[in-house]
């Protein structure tokens, strides 16, 4: 198994369609439909098809850089040291059973700051826990909603939501900024959105398929799952999304066809009066994106969203020097309809942002556990920057 970085020239786009039937797994961008001239493309090629793919690429004069000679080894290396214990650890990737138990225990251990609810179950029946973090004042407070784990293979995101929750409760009372935030606002955190997909990456497919989508059945197709970030009512299925159930960017049979999408959307709709910011955490690429992705037109609040994003990525960079790029989704990466960030913004949640965490492609979805701590530490700074800004600019 290998991951290949392609530096594409003019012939590339047509060429990728000749690769498509070969079950090439697109890491960046999310599908061959999103490839444009001059773009760097990351693909994962099954070993059996390697010679054929290499021949096609070389004949086409495309520059190829091998990122992983052997993806299986990289998968094993991602778990930096094999764990004897199943105990929850903020600097390791935790499976769903461990996260599920952790959610219950951290909530009960911090009952003064955390209340827990289930906003619904997933397609396969797993509970979608939502943690409300903030000092309990007895009255409604403005809130920031944050979710992680929309896409199953983006493991660093799940790690970040866990890190955030722990950091919030453990620095309350000692860190003035966090204390002020939790006294005056609430964080509504969904630590794992696509639980079924995440569980699947742990049990079946981590090493060779890199599962992204949900795990729902599609009528009339043997292909499983929908891309939940193409499933929202924001220019649904018009651009950068596919109506083919076998595609990684399948938009679903209808808006909110996925129960996970519907559960999240129903919660946000019913709490719209208090939710002032929506943050959704993805990987990888080191980007901070805001609306719009489903169209090229700028958001009504474009200049403010841009300046807040620039402040947030400057705060992030201050810790480890990690460079992010910020901007509207469509122009910064590519058009993509049906995203939760655009949907939340159009619903009236002004400060709507998508994070694409580390890295820029060296490890991609296989970010080593040694990078969990620095990634989470720097991302905390950006989230706190946005939350503080929102608190000082309520609407």
């Amino acid at each position: 198994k290998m991951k290949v970085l392609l530096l594409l020239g003019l012939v590339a786009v047509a060429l990728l369609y000749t690769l498509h039937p070969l079950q090439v797994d697109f890491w960046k961008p999310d599908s061959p439909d999103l490839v444009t001239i001059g773009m760097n493309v990351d693909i994962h090629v099954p070993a059996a098809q390697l010679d054929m793919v290499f021949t096609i690429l070389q004949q086409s004069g495309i520059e190829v850089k091998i990122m992983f000679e052997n993806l299986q080894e990289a998968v094993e290396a991602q778990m930096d040291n094999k764990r004897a214990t199943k105990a929850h650890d903020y600097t390791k990737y935790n499976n769903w059973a461990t996260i599920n138990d952790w959610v219950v225990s951290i909530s009960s251990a911090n009952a003064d700051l955390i209340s827990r609810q289930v906003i619904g179950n997933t397609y396969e029946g797993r509970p979608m826990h939502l943690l409300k973090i903030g000092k309990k004042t007895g009255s409604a407070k403005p809130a920031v909603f944050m979710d992680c784990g929309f896409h199953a293979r983006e493991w660093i995101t799940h790690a970040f939501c866990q890190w955030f929750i722990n950091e919030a409760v453990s620095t309350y009372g000692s860190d003035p900024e966090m204390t002020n935030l939790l006294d005056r606002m609430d964080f509504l955190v969904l630590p794992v959105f696509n639980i079924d997909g995440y569980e699947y990456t742990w049990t079946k497919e981590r090493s060779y398929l890199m599962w992204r989508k949900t795990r729902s059945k599609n009528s009339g197709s043997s292909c499983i799952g929908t891309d939940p970030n193409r499933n929202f009512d924001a220019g649904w299925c018009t651009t950068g999304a596919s109506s083919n159930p076998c595609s990684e960017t399948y938009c679903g049979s209808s808006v909110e066809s996925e129960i996970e999408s519907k559960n999240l959307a129903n919660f946000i709709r019913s709490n719209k009066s208090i939710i002032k910011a929506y943050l959704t955490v993805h990987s990888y690429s080191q980007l901070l994106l805001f609306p719009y992705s489903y169209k090229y037109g700028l958001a009504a609040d474009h200049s403010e969203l841009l300046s807040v994003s620039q402040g947030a990525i400057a705060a992030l960079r201050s810790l480890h020097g990690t460079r992010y790029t910020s901007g509207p989704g469509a122009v910064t990466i590519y058009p993509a309809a049906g995203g939760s960030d655009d949907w939340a913004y159009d619903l009236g949640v002004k400060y709507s942002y998508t994070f694409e965490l580390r890295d820029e492609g060296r490890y991609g979805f296989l970010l080593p556990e040694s990078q969990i701590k620095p990634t989470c530490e720097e991302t905390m700074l950006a989230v706190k920057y946005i939350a503080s800004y929102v608190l000082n600019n309520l609407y």
Side-chain angles (χ1 to χ4, degrees):
K1 313 289 190 304
M2 49 188 329
K3 180 167 164 255
V4 181
L5 173 74
L6 304 183
L7 304 168
L8 294 186
L10 281 162
V11 286
V13 184
L15 172 81
L16 289 169
Y17 281 93
T18 63
L19 293 179
H20 200 212
L22 297 172
Q23 287 184 300
V24 170
D25 173 24
F26 278 73
W27 282 24
K28 195 170 94 177
D30 305 321
S31 85
D33 313 324
L34 300 170
V35 174
T36 54
I37 291 163
M39 178 187 277
N40 285 2
V41 173
D42 296 359
I43 60 170
H44 158 210
V45 181
Q49 289 159 355
L50 198 54
D51 292 346
M52 196 189 320
V53 169
F54 246 112
T55 303
I56 293 169
L57 295 175
Q58 283 176 327
Q59 286 173 348
S60 309
I62 285 180
E63 189 183 331
V64 177
K65 181 178 168 195
I66 296 169
M67 307 297 278
F68 298 110
E69 286 283 358
N70 183 325
L71 198 62
Q72 182 63 43
E73 284 172 10
V75 166
E76 286 156 13
Q78 185 184 28
M79 305 299 208
D80 286 335
N81 33 28
K82 291 277 179 288
R83 260 174 302 177
T85 163
K86 282 277 193 279
H88 183 271
D89 187 329
Y90 293 103
T91 62
K92 297 202 175 297
Y93 295 117
N94 299 293
N95 65 18
W96 168 245
T98 305
I99 295 171
N100 193 45
D101 291 346
W102 166 83
V103 162
V104 175
S105 63
I106 196 166
S107 303
S108 50
N110 297 276
D112 51 332
L113 287 173
I114 300 182
S115 54
R116 176 174 58 90
Q117 71 177 98
V118 173
I119 63 167
N121 289 338
T122 64
Y123 180 82
E124 293 178 347
R126 298 181 177 91
M128 294 175 70
H129 295 287
L130 182 108
L131 272 56
K132 177 167 143 185
I133 305 141
K135 189 167 183 351
K136 295 177 179 172
T137 61
S139 56
K141 291 155 71 186
V144 171
F145 187 101
M146 180 166 70
D147 59 59
C148 294
F150 249 68
H151 293 133
R153 61 192 180 184
E154 298 171 5
W155 283 16
I156 185 60
T157 73
H158 311 73
F160 176 69
C161 269
Q162 294 162 67
W163 185 281
F164 177 87
I165 292 164
N166 181 57
E167 190 75 6
V169 297
S170 57
T171 62
Y172 179 79
S174 59
D175 171 51
E177 187 183 13
M178 185 60 85
T179 305
N180 181 49
L181 289 172
L182 296 182
D183 280 346
R184 296 172 57 201
M185 73 196 310
D186 292 322
F187 288 91
L188 304 167
V189 183
L190 187 63
V192 186
F193 171 87
N194 178 10
I195 305 167
D196 298 348
Y198 186 58
E199 175 71 0
Y200 191 69
T201 62
W202 275 82
T203 49
K204 306 267 195 331
E205 304 281 356
R206 184 64 179 165
S207 60
Y208 58 95
L209 221 169
M210 289 294 176
W211 193 257
R212 166 184 169 89
K213 299 191 286 182
T214 63
R215 294 294 302 162
S216 57
K217 291 187 169 66
N218 293 311
S219 69
S221 174
S222 60
C223 293
I224 297 288
T226 286
D227 182 344
N229 209 35
R230 301 292 189 279
N231 194 227
F232 287 78
D233 190 5
W236 181 74
C237 221
T238 52
T239 182
S242 173
S243 53
N244 173 5
C246 300
S247 167
E248 290 291 351
T249 53
Y250 176 48
C251 61
S253 55
S254 60
V255 164
E256 294 172 27
S257 59
E258 303 312 284
I259 188 64
E260 296 86 355
S261 310
K262 194 176 283 301
N263 290 341
L264 179 137
N266 283 341
F267 180 86
I268 293 180
R269 278 190 285 260
S270 57
N271 292 279
K272 180 174 162 321
S273 59
I274 60 160
I275 295 173
K276 302 300 175 187
Y278 173 74
L279 308 177
T280 182
V281 185
H282 291 250
S283 74
Y284 58 95
S285 282
Q286 295 173 201
L287 301 168
L288 182 52
L289 306 173
F290 51 86
Y292 284 104
S293 287
Y294 74 84
K295 61 183 180 184
Y296 282 106
L298 298 182
D301 303 291
H302 174 80
S303 57
E304 186 182 10
L305 291 172
L306 178 62
S307 69
V308 173
S309 73
Q310 288 167 336
I313 65 174
L316 186 152
R317 189 168 67 241
S318 70
L319 190 60
H320 298 296
T322 309
R323 294 192 172 272
Y324 271 57
T325 302
S326 69
V331 294
T332 307
I333 41 171
Y334 43 72
S340 62
D341 54 350
D342 283 358
W343 168 80
Y345 181 78
D346 280 350
L347 186 71
V349 182
K350 177 160 78 161
Y351 302 104
S352 182
Y353 289 98
T354 295
F355 281 85
E356 293 281 357
L357 302 184
R358 291 192 191 184
D359 55 9
E360 293 182 298
R362 170 65 189 89
Y363 294 103
F365 303 119
L366 295 176
L367 196 71
E369 286 181 327
S370 56
Q371 291 198 39
I372 295 176
K373 183 174 187 280
T375 301
C376 291
E377 287 172 339
E378 68 194 10
T379 309
M380 280 298 304
L381 299 180
V383 170
K384 284 162 73 173
Y385 179 93
I386 294 169
S388 296
Y389 181 91
V390 170
L391 189 53
N392 293 320
N393 293 273
L394 295 173
Y395 55 96

